[in-house]
Amino acid sequence: MKEDLIDTFKISRLVAADIAGCLDDTGRRELDAWLRESDENQAVYREIRGDFEKGKRQWPYSERQVEQQLAMFHRYRRKKSSRGIGVWWRYAAVLVLLLGIAGVIRWQAGSREREKELVSIQMAQGNAVLVLSTGERIALDDTLRSVRGEASVDIRVADQKVSYRKENESALEQVYNTLVVPRAGEFKVELADGTNVWLNAQSELRYPVQFCGKQRVVYLKGEGYFEVASDREKPFIVKTFSDVDIKVLGTKFNVSSYENDAYVTTTLAEGSVEVVMSGESVRISPDEQLVFNKNDNSFRLREVDASIYSAWKDGLFIFEDQRLEQIMERLKRWYEMDVFYSGEEVKNYQFSGDLKKYDSFEKIVKMLEEVAGVKIDIKGKCVTIGAK
């Protein structure tokens, strides 16, 4: 009888999970195998489902109803009914439905409430903007088109990229455009010399529509990945708004220089660059990163995997032992939210992992809670992070 009772409860749980819509693949195979064993099993299954369908408007059951059903279950357990296990089926199944499905429904209701909360955290919207030398602002999208307004160059926009082509080699004056990328945006620009620059969210690049003189100088605010066309006669210089300059001839590197960040980070993928800051000059090699502290003008050089720091242009957030506060600052450039912490110590929690940039915020929350060991509460657009 004990083994029969265990099997009864096991099958009842499978039926309950099936009715609740949360039966996994393994459970589905077990339930299907049991149903194929006999017509009686199929009849019991239909009876249990019928009980649920009749009473589903009242779920979840009250505490009193659960107590009443438990008492009835124990009374039948003490009886030696001639119907034997059939009675056990009836009341074991109902008991599981009462305690199991009621709990599942409450869990599902809680999940729906959480999903509703997470729905309010959405990716920011907006187009990149091209600011011409005249001050005209042009919203950019994926539409293939030409942009008129600058002499000596042909400007084309397509596939999240703006490209410049020389039309007049005799230009004597440098005329500047600015590409502005909003929150949750990305855009690429191909400069007139063939250099390609990927701009991350909340970034700006000011550059000449055609390079004149002995240097190629651009101005970066935010984050950009550069693939610089080689020209030994004209060094390429990236000036940040934090008094850090990066000088190159032809190379691939990433620069992060957000106004609100305490650091300017230069990470080299290929070639060689020279970083100039506070009167000092440091040359870095591939898979090296120079981190400049804007608060005290100090810097440190370290070895890294450079691909981690340019993964953003390929649709990934990759974090390697980063502080939770730094991670959330990056996510705030993509999602419409304000972040609060239950204590200063939570900001320093470390996290390593990969997140897809275009995943729902729900997936990102689950990953952070599981791996970083934090509890995240969401009210509207306010995200509060605390220790578990």
Side-chain angles (χ1 to χ4, degrees):
M1 179 66 75
K2 181 178 179 181
E3 287 75 14
D4 289 338
L5 180 60
I6 292 172
D7 289 341
T8 299
F9 270 93
K10 179 179 178 181
I11 297 300
S12 297
R13 282 196 298 269
L14 293 176
V15 174
D18 183 38
I19 295 173
C22 60
L23 187 64
D24 59 21
D25 292 340
T26 301
R28 170 58 61 192
R29 288 193 293 270
E30 292 179 356
L31 180 59
D32 288 345
W34 176 78
L35 288 171
R36 288 193 296 269
E37 286 179 4
S38 69
D39 292 340
E40 181 183 359
N41 290 351
Q42 295 177 30
V44 170
Y45 175 78
R46 289 194 295 270
E47 184 179 2
I48 296 172
R49 287 201 69 105
D51 288 339
F52 172 71
E53 292 298 327
K54 290 176 184 177
K56 66 182 180 180
R57 292 185 180 88
Q58 300 176 13
W59 293 75
Y61 287 92
S62 69
E63 186 176 349
R64 179 173 177 78
Q65 287 173 304
V66 173
E67 289 176 351
Q68 290 173 343
Q69 193 65 45
L70 278 169
M72 190 181 299
F73 178 82
H74 288 300
R75 284 199 299 274
Y76 272 94
R77 184 181 176 187
R78 288 192 293 269
K79 282 186 178 181
K80 295 183 179 179
S81 170
S82 60
R83 288 184 292 170
I85 196 64
V87 175
W88 286 102
W89 270 119
R90 172 73 178 168
Y91 286 96
V94 172
L95 180 63
V96 169
L97 285 171
L98 282 168
L99 301 179
I101 290 187
V104 168
I105 290 177
R106 283 194 294 270
W107 174 81
Q108 288 180 327
S111 295
R112 286 194 292 269
E113 286 302 314
R114 184 166 175 81
E115 287 173 4
K116 288 178 183 178
E117 291 175 346
L118 290 168
V119 163
S120 62
I121 306 295
Q122 297 288 332
M123 200 166 279
Q125 301 293 323
N127 291 326
V129 174
L130 179 63
V131 184
L132 303 180
S133 60
T134 59
E136 181 184 355
R137 299 174 68 90
I138 300 173
L140 304 178
D141 52 32
D142 289 333
T143 305
L144 175 62
R145 58 183 170 136
S146 294
V147 176
R148 294 296 175 185
E150 302 293 3
S152 80
V153 292
D154 175 40
I155 307 174
R156 293 186 179 273
V157 179
D159 300 324
Q160 294 292 103
K161 176 181 177 180
V162 55
S163 303
Y164 290 76
R165 294 287 184 270
K166 296 179 183 178
E167 287 186 338
N168 181 1
E169 294 288 345
S170 62
L172 300 177
E173 181 183 2
Q174 288 201 144
V175 174
Y176 286 86
N177 283 182
T178 301
L179 180 60
V180 181
V181 179
R183 290 175 75 174
E186 292 175 297
F187 223 84
K188 182 179 178 182
V189 55
E190 183 181 1
L191 303 177
D193 67 338
T195 292
N196 283 286
V197 186
W198 287 257
L199 283 184
N200 205 348
Q202 287 189 304
S203 299
E204 297 181 15
L205 186 72
R206 182 172 180 263
Y207 51 88
V209 299
Q210 186 172 330
F211 293 103
C212 303
K214 297 181 179 180
Q215 294 181 330
R216 296 172 289 168
V217 181
V218 299
Y219 301 85
L220 174 70
K221 180 188 294 184
E223 185 167 21
Y225 179 81
F226 294 78
E227 290 187 354
V228 178
S230 180
D231 186 344
R232 295 191 174 276
E233 302 299 321
K234 289 185 177 182
F236 193 97
I237 301 174
V238 180
K239 288 184 173 290
T240 72
F241 289 81
S242 304
D243 295 325
V244 175
D245 296 347
I246 298 95
K247 296 182 179 181
V248 302
L249 296 175
T251 188
K252 299 178 182 180
F253 61 99
N254 193 84
V255 181
S256 180
S257 179
Y258 284 98
E259 188 175 1
N260 295 328
D261 285 356
Y263 303 96
V264 177
T265 304
T266 305
T267 311
L268 184 62
E270 293 182 16
S272 177
V273 302
E274 181 183 1
V275 182
V276 180
M277 71 235 130
S278 299
E280 295 196 56
S281 176
V282 178
R283 187 174 293 274
I284 64 175
S285 301
D287 284 326
E288 286 187 340
Q289 182 182 78
L290 190 144
V291 182
F292 175 73
N293 188 324
K294 294 190 290 187
N295 295 325
D296 60 12
N297 292 331
S298 64
F299 69 89
R300 59 191 175 100
L301 186 64
R302 61 176 184 167
E303 292 186 1
V304 297
D305 179 353
S307 64
I308 290 176
Y309 295 88
S310 60
W312 59 265
K313 71 181 181 65
D314 299 314
L316 289 174
F317 294 116
I318 300 182
F319 304 106
E320 190 174 64
D321 293 327
Q322 279 197 283
R323 294 172 58 248
L324 190 58
E325 185 180 29
Q326 292 176 307
I327 292 169
M328 297 310 296
E329 284 300 315
R330 289 181 65 180
L331 294 178
K332 281 167 60 178
R333 296 180 187 128
W334 284 83
Y335 294 93
E336 296 279 9
M337 62 179 177
D338 297 307
V339 181
F340 303 91
Y341 302 89
S342 63
E344 288 296 315
E345 72 281 357
V346 177
K347 296 180 180 180
N348 294 316
Y349 279 28
Q350 301 286 313
F351 175 83
S352 295
D354 301 359
L355 303 172
K356 292 181 180 179
K357 280 167 54 172
Y358 297 99
D359 268 349
S360 69
F361 192 68
E362 179 184 6
K363 289 185 179 180
I364 293 176
V365 166
K366 287 180 179 178
M367 171 75 81
L368 290 174
E369 285 187 327
E370 290 174 6
V371 180
V374 295
K375 174 64 178 173
I376 300 178
D377 293 316
I378 299 169
K379 299 294 182 185
K381 296 186 184 300
C382 294
V383 177
T384 302
I385 305 177
K388 278 189 176 178

